[in-house]
Amino acid sequence: MGVTGARPVGAEGEEEAARAVQQMFDSIAPRYDLLNHVLSANVDRLWWRRAARRFKAVLADPDAAVLDICCGTGDMTMALLKRRPRGARPTLAADFARNMLSRGVKKFGESARKAGEPYAVPLEADALHLPLRSESLDLIVSAFGFRNLANYEAGLREFHRVLKPGGQLGILEFSEPGGLIGKAYAVYFRRVLPAIGRAICGRNGAYSYLPISVGNFPAPPEMVALMQATGYEQCEWQPYTFGIAGLYMGVRQNQ
Ligand SMILES: C[S@@+](CC[C@H](N)C(=O)[O-])C[C@H]1O[C@@H](n2cnc3c(N)ncnc32)[C@H](O)[C@@H]1O
């Protein structure tokens, strides 16, 4: 596989790439939710809900230890919380961009929720170095965050370390559909979307980075192969909305 991780323009090496990604999300945090919903015409809500539904059995277990990694402003976390029973063990919601996380906690934090409602605990942490015990989690979910990691293989290995044997991984990511739909979408994604992003956000880099990072991300068969090579079984990719996005799933092997 050619691509090993995200490389924002100008960043050399993994450290620089990670810092560039962190700074970018910190800077767009105030406008992130608005932009997301405008650019996806609210379809992102359906994707978060659908991904959460896929893990409904484990989410319904009150004792399950669940992590939303790269949680950002917390909309995936909220979709997960909807499926947790009252009194469930708190879900963990981690991100390394403090400005994104601080917006998320206003939605999913204990003080933002009614008494007894499931809530999430924020964790400011790098996905490649999680401050969590090995074999401690039943489920890790990531929505539109994994693509931004500076090293995809290292990310999958770190998730493998903290998942219990038999624990599940779900990665929701964009992809580039083929055929006519893919061609039409490419025009929107590569030209229209960065222009709208610039207009709302007033910044050049962030929404030009999005299509570039999606274009550089491994295609579904490559990503599935990488998951298999890093210790996951029952790996599959389920396309959402003509393959504009999709959910990668895998189960941590016993060794
Ligand atoms: C596109 S946002 C997605 C946020 C949210 N999951 C959603 O679906 O709206 C990507 C998030 O991943 C976070 N992120 C990227 N690389 C990370 C890393 N190495 N460790 C922790 N968070 C990371 C960014 O800070 C950002 O908040």
Side-chain angles (χ1 to χ4, degrees), residues 76-192:
M76 181 74 239
T77 316
M78 295 300 285
L80 297 173
L81 289 181
K82 281 212 172 85
R83 295 199 165 264
R84 305 240 59 200
R86 285 179 80 80
R89 181 178 180 162
T91 297
L92 290 170
D95 201 287
F96 70 176
R98 185 174 293 182
N99 293 347
M100 296 288 279
L101 194 58
S102 64
R103 281 173 170 76
V105 80
K106 289 184 188 144
K107 302 178 194 170
F108 58 63
E110 188 174 11
S111 56
R113 312 276 291 159
K114 294 200 188 97
E117 265 183 2
Y119 64 94
V121 173
L123 188 62
E124 191 175 329
D126 187 334
L128 300 185
H129 309 281
L130 292 169
L132 298 172
R133 273 186 301 114
S134 298
E135 303 193 4
S136 59
L137 299 178
D138 297 285
L139 172 66
I140 298 179
V141 172
S142 180
F144 309 111
F146 187 84
R147 172 180 35 89
N148 301 294
L149 301 190
N151 186 322
Y152 303 137
E153 182 176 337
L156 289 171
R157 291 197 189 281
E158 181 64 348
F159 300 165
H160 187 279
R161 180 185 72 77
V162 294
L163 278 172
K164 295 176 187 171
Q168 298 182 69
L169 174 63
I171 296 175
L172 181 57
E173 260 311 338
F174 290 112
S175 62
E176 293 198 310
L180 266 185
I181 286 180
K183 286 205 176 107
Y185 186 67
V187 173
Y188 169 73
F189 206 58
R190 290 174 187 274
R191 299 194 185 280
V192 182

